[in-house]
Structures are given as structure tokens and as C-alpha cells.
Amino acid sequence: MKRGCFQRPESNIDAVSKLLTFFRVGSVDAWTARYGLANVAYRHSPKFKSSEFALATWLRLGEIEAEREECADFSESRFGHAIGKVRGLTREPIVEALQQTAKLCNEAGVALVLVQPLPKTALSGAAWWLTPRKAVIQLTARHKSVDHLWFSFFHEAAHILLHSKKGVFFDETNDNGAEQEQEANEWASSNLVPKSAWKQFVATSPRRAHVVRAFAEEQGIAPGIVVGMLQHKGLLPWTHLNFLIVRLTWNS
């Protein structure tokens, strides 16, 4: 209701009817079959477990947005080429960068949607297939920082390129999930910063802003991404160089 999907129900029966219409299913059993397993590879905090119902609602909101996007048929080569261009866009103002990223993704057969997280959801993004020819990357920007947003984008792109279109990946239930999540993390990291360059950079124990800025300039990416990677890998305290990370806000 708060997202404007339907008006306040007049009764419990009306509530069920409106919910089934929103999810585009004919019964509760049909909802369980389609959404109950949350057929999606998603990245979320290992310390929290998303509510099944909140997750399904968030996914449906993304599905509605993805259906509106006009995309070419998916092309692995075009999407790989788009990823290279997106890397450079991380230096641009976030609104313009996301608009250009969405355009590049659409041309490669991928819908890019940002859907504000719901209460009881603890995930950063999802990758799934709307049709065999149209993939979806859905992001939450839950950490409200550019470095997390871009890493999540590259992480979900890895799922699109590396993993099965029919895969179900749950960190807490799928034994294969941890391996594939790690693979997606490594792919995202190495595509943002090549391993050889990263190894040489961290060997210098970088902790000063001008050093981080110079390396980011050399790599053609936003300095905040470098800070975020250093912090995540325990090479920089979480309290250091945060002024290089651009913060985000959701418009009401």
C-alpha cells in the first residue's frame, strides 16, 4: 500500500484478492509455487535472514519495473562489453551513471532496476531471468553508498554471466550457494580492479587519500570503490577515508 500498488483493502477477503492480483497469481498455492522458493541468486548479509514474504514482495516490485524496460534479446558478448563501459561510469555522478548503465544493460538484454528495500529484507541485490532472453539485475542500495552499489551491480552481473538461468541460490539453504557467491565476489573484485594491479597496490599498505585517489585515477574507477575494497578486506579501518565514499539517499 505504501508503494502505491493498491488501495487499502476493505476486508480480509479483499486483501487476499488484491495481494493475489499484485503477485499475478490465482491462488495461495500458486504464490507458493512461484515465489515461495524465491528463485533468485541474491547477495545479503550473513547475519540476517530476509523474510520470505518481504523478499517476494521486493522481487515482484522489481519484476513490475523490469517488465516496463524495453530490452534487446540477451547477448553475452554485448553484456560483457557493457560491463567494461560501466566500470568507467563509476567515476560519473551517480544519477547520470545509472542512467547510462541502464541503457547499456538494456541494449545487451538486461533490465536494471533499483527498488528500495522493504523492512525485513537484508539483501543488496538480485540477479534473475524474466524470460530466457531478458535478464534482470535488481539492486537495493541498502547501504546507501556508491561503493556498495557498484560492487553489488558487478556481483549480480557475475551471476548473469557465470551461473545457470534456472539456479536457486540461498546462502542459508543451498550448499552450492556459498561457492557461487564467492565466485561472484571474486569476479566483481577482479573486474573492478585487476588482480595484478590490486596486489601491487596493497603491497604498499595504502592509507592516505592522495594514494587512493591516484590509484583510482590510474584504474579509471571511483576512489570510493577502492576505499570500500580496502575496508572490506580488512586493509583499512572502517573509520578511515570515508569522505572519499559518495553517500546515497532515496528520493520519496
Side-chain angles (χ1 to χ4, degrees):
M1 287 166 48
K2 289 181 179 179
R3 299 292 173 99
C5 298
F6 49 75
Q7 298 296 316
R8 179 179 293 278
E10 298 178 358
S11 65
N12 288 341
I13 293 176
D14 188 36
V16 173
S17 177
K18 281 182 164 62
L19 284 167
L20 292 178
T21 299
F22 168 72
F23 282 105
R24 205 162 57 189
V25 293
S27 68
V28 175
D29 286 343
W31 182 92
T32 300
R34 182 170 182 180
Y35 292 97
L37 294 178
N39 186 14
V40 63
Y42 68 98
R43 176 171 172 257
H44 70 93
S45 169
K47 296 181 181 179
F48 299 96
K49 185 175 181 179
S50 297
S51 158
E52 179 183 18
F53 307 111
L55 176 58
T57 303
W58 178 79
L59 289 172
R60 177 60 183 141
L61 290 168
E63 185 177 40
I64 292 170
E65 292 296 322
E67 287 173 343
R68 295 171 179 163
E69 293 193 17
E70 295 185 7
C71 297
D73 288 349
F74 178 76
S75 167
E76 183 176 340
S77 60
R78 282 201 302 270
F79 188 49
H81 183 66
I83 290 297
K85 291 187 175 181
V86 171
R87 185 175 180 273
L89 288 173
T90 64
R91 298 179 62 84
E92 302 299 324
I94 189 61
V95 173
E96 179 182 339
L98 286 174
Q99 290 173 344
Q100 291 299 314
T101 298
K103 182 175 183 294
L104 289 167
C105 286
N106 291 171
E107 291 171 350
V110 178
L112 174 63
V113 295
L114 269 72
V115 179
Q116 189 170 357
L118 295 166
K120 299 184 181 180
T121 56
L123 68 162
S124 300
W128 48 282
W129 292 80
L130 186 64
T131 73
R133 295 190 293 270
K134 187 176 185 179
V136 180
I137 290 178
Q138 184 172 342
L139 304 175
T140 65
R142 66 183 289 259
H143 292 287
K144 298 182 179 179
S145 66
V146 165
D147 63 309
H148 277 99
L149 179 70
W150 285 123
F151 191 88
S152 293
F153 171 82
F154 277 80
H155 177 100
E156 307 311 336
H159 281 307
I160 297 296
L161 291 170
L162 302 179
H163 301 142
S164 170
K165 294 181 179 181
K166 298 180 180 180
V168 180
F169 311 103
F170 286 105
D171 288 346
E172 66 272 16
T173 60
N174 190 328
D175 291 338
N176 295 323
E179 179 181 345
Q180 291 179 328
E181 290 299 304
Q182 183 61 34
E183 186 177 19
N185 281 338
E186 292 179 357
W187 189 94
S189 294
S190 61
N191 274 270
L192 284 166
V193 180
K195 290 183 179 180
S196 58
W198 180 256
K199 185 177 180 179
Q200 293 178 10
F201 174 62
V202 298
T204 65
S205 300
R207 297 175 70 90
R208 296 182 178 274
H210 75 276
V211 175
V212 170
R213 284 195 180 102
F215 179 72
E217 181 72 26
E218 176 186 308
Q219 294 299 315
I221 61 175
I225 292 176
V226 179
V227 173
M229 291 177 67
L230 288 169
Q231 292 177 342
H232 181 73
K233 294 180 183 297
L235 300 172
L236 189 70
W238 294 104
T239 55
H240 284 45
L241 303 186
N242 287 324
F243 61 89
L244 293 178
I245 297 176
V246 177
R247 299 296 170 181
L248 305 173
T249 58
W250 278 99
N251 293 325
S252 58

